[in-house]
Amino acid sequence: DQQVKQNSPSLSVQEGRISILNCDYTNSMFDYFLWYKKYPAEGPTFLISISSIKDKNEDGRFTVFLNKSAKHLSLHIVPSQPGDSAVYFCAASAGDFGNEKLTFGTGTRLTIIP
Amino acid sequence: KAGVTQTPRYLIKTRGQQVTLSCSPISGHRSVSWYQQTPGQGLQFLFEYFSETQRNKGNFPGRFSGRQFSNSRSEMNVSTLELGDSALYLCASSSEDSQETQYFGPGTRLLVL
């Protein structure tokens, strides 16, 4: 059973526009959420995270929004750049990050069109 | 379809020993990737196997090795264990027609004493 779901396997966005990647989860015990970015032949790299006590976290062009009642989070990238083309994984944990296992979604491939 | 399975789920070893972890991908998936997850380093890519061949390799020492069998099951071996090898080892599988979509297993938590 997939506890963290990324229902869009791929997404194409024009350069300069906003990219919105979505993630849904089913386990109400999850209280920490992360986004990872992965280039081909490399491992995922950490991008941004959010604790369940917040509903928004911003870091430069990247903003993560959390809607606990809907068990939904999203990653916004504004403006989108060609270097943002990668696979994005959403992950969640129940407990302090690093002490509990992360549960990953299946990933969304983002392609930025120049 | 059954998901990715990993065995064992938990393992305790001592320094200097070696360990073998196993991963069974989703039926029909031929690609298997291994990752190490630690609190300090996050998720790090170890290697990827496809059709019994190592296709990609991360930046880990030669003590970390792997293989894949004809049924796509994969094993990862770590020799001469060090304390720093304590981590959660995740395996992920993907299908040929959707290689970027990775399904992760539950992981094997290794503790080296």
Side-chain angles (χ1 to χ4, degrees), chain B residues 13-56:
Chain B
K13 291 283 188 179
T14 56
R15 277 181 298 174
Q17 285 187 308
Q18 68 95 27
V19 67
T20 299
L21 312 181
S22 180
C23 171
S24 292
I26 290 173
S27 177
H29 287 190
R30 293 166 64 190
S31 170
V32 173
S33 298
W34 287 91
Y35 297 86
Q36 182 195 65
Q37 182 184 321
T38 58
Q41 300 293 327
L43 197 67
Q44 291 184 289
F45 173 70
L46 280 154
F47 28 66
E48 182 206 1
Y49 284 87
F50 181 81
S51 290
E52 302 179 64
T53 302
Q54 189 179 89
R55 187 156 68 173
N56 289 301

Side-chain angles (χ1 to χ4, degrees), chain A residues 1 9 12 14 43 51 53 72 102:
Chain A
D1 177 41
S12 293
Q14 206 78 31
S51 165
I53 61 173
H72 176 83
L102 286 177

